[in-house]
């Protein structure tokens, strides 16, 4: 059985380097894991880059299932603030960029 991940990060069109990097990671990781990606709040629609990713998109109020690992991918941009509550879930993996 493939590992299950709840992915939490900005995604395009959010103006963040992390959102672009997330697309690269999700395309590879999605081939190996079952991924639900949390849609960033306030984003009207995801860009074309997200349409072909092997993930299932879920709303921002989604909580992890019992057998899911949270992957929180964030940096020092206000567009990442919504990811912070996901850090409290166990188990969680945190990827931090540009920590200041």
């Amino acid at each position: 059985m493939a590992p299950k991940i709840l992915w939490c990060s900005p995604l395009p069109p959010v103006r963040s380097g992390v959102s672009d990097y997330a697309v690269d990671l999700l395309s590879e990781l999605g081939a190996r894991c079952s991924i639900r990606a949390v849609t960033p709040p306030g984003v009207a629609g995801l860009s074309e880059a997200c349409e072909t990713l092997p993930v299932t998109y879920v709303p921002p109020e989604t909580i992890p299932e019992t057998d899911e690992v949270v992957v929180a991918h964030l940096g020092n941009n206000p567009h990442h603030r919504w990811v912070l509550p996901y850090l409290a879930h166990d188990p969680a993996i945190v990827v931090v960029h540009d920590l200041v």
Side-chain angles (χ1 to χ4, degrees), residues 1-97:
M1 177 186 260
K4 293 175 70 178
I5 293 173
L6 181 63
W7 181 273
C8 308
S9 82
L11 295 168
V14 175
R15 294 177 49 125
S16 164
V18 169
S19 68
D20 296 331
Y21 187 51
V23 170
D24 294 336
L25 292 174
L26 287 169
S27 64
E28 293 295 323
L29 198 57
R32 295 163 178 78
C33 302
S34 173
I35 300 177
R36 293 190 309 153
V38 177
T39 305
V43 174
L46 298 175
S47 73
E48 281 185 31
C50 296
E51 291 177 8
T52 60
L53 293 175
V55 303
T56 301
Y57 294 101
V58 294
E61 60 276 2
T62 300
I63 59 171
E65 294 176 353
T66 316
D67 56 349
E68 276 182 319
V69 174
V70 170
V71 175
H73 190 193
L74 65 157
N76 64 352
N77 182 309
H79 295 298
H80 304 224
R81 185 169 287 144
W82 68 271
V83 176
L84 294 176
Y86 286 96
L87 303 180
H89 293 280
D90 183 24
I93 298 170
V94 181
V95 181
V96 182
H97 293 263

